[in-house]
Amino acid sequence: MRVLVTGAARAIGRATAEVLTARGHEVVATARDATSLKDLKVDRILNLDVSDDASVAAAVHAAGELDAVVNNAGRTGYGPLEDYPLDDIVQVLDVNTLGPLRLIQAVVPQWRRRGSGVIVNVSSVQGRIATPLEGVYAASKHALEALSETLHYELGHFGIRVVIIEPGYIAPGMKHTADHAGPDVYRELHEQWSGTAETLSGPGGRPGPELVGHAVADALEDPTTPLRVEVGPDAEMVLALRRTQTDAEFEATMRRALDLTW
């Protein structure tokens, strides 16, 4: 398959491009700065800013006929919502939610006429739950999952598959370049929440991003892949609890596990 991967400069995006290439696929790797991809052994490297309409159109045109897209590009949104700058929230939503939709809208008309195509949207456990200090990121991923589910219903009729990938904590993690500390009264919450990843990942630490890369490749290759794919032991554990417990039960369980007293 010929697959375009967004956000391929590091972590999950880079690992996905490498796994897909190793499994025999033609990969078009993209990033806002394509020079960050110069050592990546793929079929094609392109600049792509998913928040820019013209950039999306140019990349899709340059990529040639595609069989699949992997929407992985994203940005964090970390901090208390009380005074989180609304303009910054808009930027997170623009990249994490509207970015994938821009790319999907650019490829779907041709795929619909052709009768085939695969969309893989990289979400997160935060696409199903929301946690302290990560409300902005969670909102963007909740919205992405809603759009993905609707697209599943709308596009399946035309032979186009949609898959949502839901990783837990994956090494090395996302870059936190614009965190919002918020008022000083939230200092204790920041301190309590700072060890969450290590607690949920366990003594073995976070799994490497290639775990997600293989999940993406499996989804592309297997037409029986379900709409949602959970990736990582922590994701499977947390989402299983969320499905089987009430809101109050889930909150109490997570408070005990994370020693959260806030």
Side-chain angles (χ1 to χ4, degrees):
M1 301 176 73
R2 187 165 179 81
V3 187
L4 187 148
V5 180
T6 71
R10 64 184 299 276
I12 289 174
R14 176 172 287 263
T16 296
E18 291 172 342
V19 168
L20 289 173
T21 298
R23 287 171 63 158
H25 300 287
E26 294 181 2
V27 174
V28 180
T30 72
R32 282 188 301 170
D33 179 7
T35 60
S36 63
L37 307 173
K38 61 184 179 182
D39 60 337
L40 196 56
K41 301 297 190 294
V42 293
D43 187 70
R44 190 81 185 272
I45 289 172
L46 295 173
N47 284 305
L48 173 55
D49 179 353
V50 298
S51 65
D52 182 87
D53 293 348
S55 179
V56 171
V60 169
H61 177 75
E65 187 168 356
L66 296 166
D67 299 297
V69 295
V70 178
N71 284 304
N72 166 74
R75 61 181 296 165
T76 57
Y78 189 87
L81 292 175
E82 177 181 328
D83 65 344
Y84 206 106
L86 295 182
D87 287 347
D88 291 350
I89 296 176
V90 169
Q91 291 178 23
V92 174
L93 293 170
D94 200 19
V95 172
N96 295 1
T97 308
L98 297 182
L101 186 57
R102 282 189 184 91
L103 184 54
I104 290 165
Q105 288 181 339
V107 299
V108 158
Q110 179 185 356
W111 288 5
R112 175 172 48 76
R113 291 188 292 270
R114 187 180 67 192
S116 66
V118 187
I119 297 163
V120 177
N121 289 334
V122 179
S123 179
S124 165
V125 170
Q126 295 277 356
R128 304 287 290 281
I129 63 172
T131 56
L133 301 178
E134 298 178 286
V136 174
Y137 182 74
S140 72
K141 293 301 187 179
H142 271 68
L144 176 62
E145 295 219 8
L147 294 177
S148 300
E149 191 163 343
T150 292
L151 288 164
H152 162 73
Y153 295 125
E154 293 177 350
L155 301 181
H157 177 77
F158 303 111
I160 300 171
R161 291 195 295 120
V162 178
V163 178
I164 305 166
I165 301 292
E166 298 173 330
Y169 286 112
I170 301 293
M174 297 181 68
K175 282 186 176 179
H176 284 253
T177 55
D179 290 352
H180 173 67
D184 192 60
V185 294
Y186 290 98
R187 181 185 300 273
E188 183 182 350
L189 178 58
H190 278 283
E191 292 173 354
Q192 289 193 23
W193 199 250
S194 63
T196 302
E198 288 69 25
T199 301
L200 289 177
S201 300
R206 301 186 187 197
E210 64 278 357
L211 181 68
V212 184
H214 282 291
V216 170
D218 291 344
L220 292 175
E221 295 167 1
D222 182 1
T224 67
T225 301
L227 174 61
R228 287 180 169 87
V229 177
E230 300 164 8
V231 182
D234 58 334
E236 294 171 359
M237 175 191 68
V238 170
L239 293 176
L241 288 172
R242 196 67 189 91
R243 284 192 296 271
T244 57
Q245 295 185 335
T246 66
D247 290 342
E249 290 169 342
F250 180 75
E251 179 181 349
T253 300
M254 297 308 291
R255 282 185 177 278
R256 286 193 301 270
L258 301 173
D259 195 24
L260 184 67
T261 60
W262 179 270

